[in-house]
Amino acid sequence: MSIKEIQEEIVSEFEMFDDWMQRYEYMIDLGKDLPLIDEKYKTDKNIIKGCQSKVWVHAELKGDQLNFTADSDAIITKGIIAILIRTFSGQHPSAIIDADTDFIDQIGLKEHLSPTRANGLVSMIKQLKMYAVAYKTQLN
């Protein structure tokens, strides 16, 4: 499935909910299903800078696809990184680099987060794309 198709799927899932309390609950559920990072990768090196809570992300190249695992010490943040990992994991680094993240605005996520969490969201996206840039160079 392409990044765009995954994003469209996420947008339609969020459209099923009437209010933001239901959407937050859904994000918490997504966080519970997050492919968890191995404890050995829960290091300062893998913490995303700019997040209010701790978010660890590990990237690994398998073939020509980049796979991510993550964890967070906050349930909402865990849901946010779960959405991003679902979108970008298993994709070619070039596709991740080129992907737009308009779907975040479409589901209304940024406007329903506190300013510090919204900054954290931007930091998460930036970090995932930086991993993609680093691994793309290995493929060339």
Side-chain angles (χ1 to χ4, degrees):
M1 202 184 268
S2 75
I3 289 175
K4 193 76 185 149
E5 290 168 330
I6 295 167
Q7 290 174 342
E8 288 167 2
E9 193 176 83
I10 292 168
V11 168
S12 56
E13 287 168 13
F14 272 79
E15 286 172 347
M16 291 189 297
F17 302 106
D18 297 328
D19 62 43
W20 264 93
M21 284 316 294
Q22 292 174 324
R23 290 177 182 177
Y24 282 131
E25 286 173 27
Y26 181 61
M27 283 185 359
I28 290 166
D29 287 343
L30 290 175
K32 290 176 184 170
D33 296 333
L34 179 67
L36 281 188
I37 193 168
D38 190 306
E39 286 297 316
K40 69 181 176 188
Y41 298 121
K42 277 189 165 183
T43 62
D44 287 347
K45 187 183 105 166
N46 290 325
I47 286 181
I48 295 182
K49 312 288 183 268
C51 287
Q52 180 181 2
S53 44
K54 287 187 176 177
V55 181
W56 298 270
V57 174
H58 173 69
E60 206 171 299
L61 198 60
K62 289 184 181 165
D64 66 350
Q65 294 183 334
L66 197 50
N67 292 294
F68 296 101
T69 54
D71 198 5
S72 175
D73 61 357
I75 55 172
I76 293 286
T77 308
K78 204 170 180 172
I80 294 168
I81 194 67
I83 290 169
L84 296 175
I85 284 181
R86 177 174 160 195
T87 304
F88 295 129
S89 201
Q91 301 292 333
H92 190 281
S94 296
I96 297 168
I97 295 164
D98 296 339
D100 71 42
T101 53
D102 293 346
F103 82 105
I104 299 287
D105 294 327
Q106 286 180 287
I107 62 177
L109 187 55
K110 249 189 229 166
E111 66 194 62
H112 287 91
L113 293 176
S114 66
T116 51
R117 280 228 170 89
N119 288 342
L121 170 63
V122 171
S123 296
M124 288 181 222
I125 293 168
K126 228 185 265 183
Q127 185 63 47
L128 294 177
K129 287 190 175 246
M130 282 171 46
Y131 275 124
V133 169
Y135 281 101
K136 183 181 176 195
T137 58
Q138 286 186 18
L139 290 173
N140 292 342

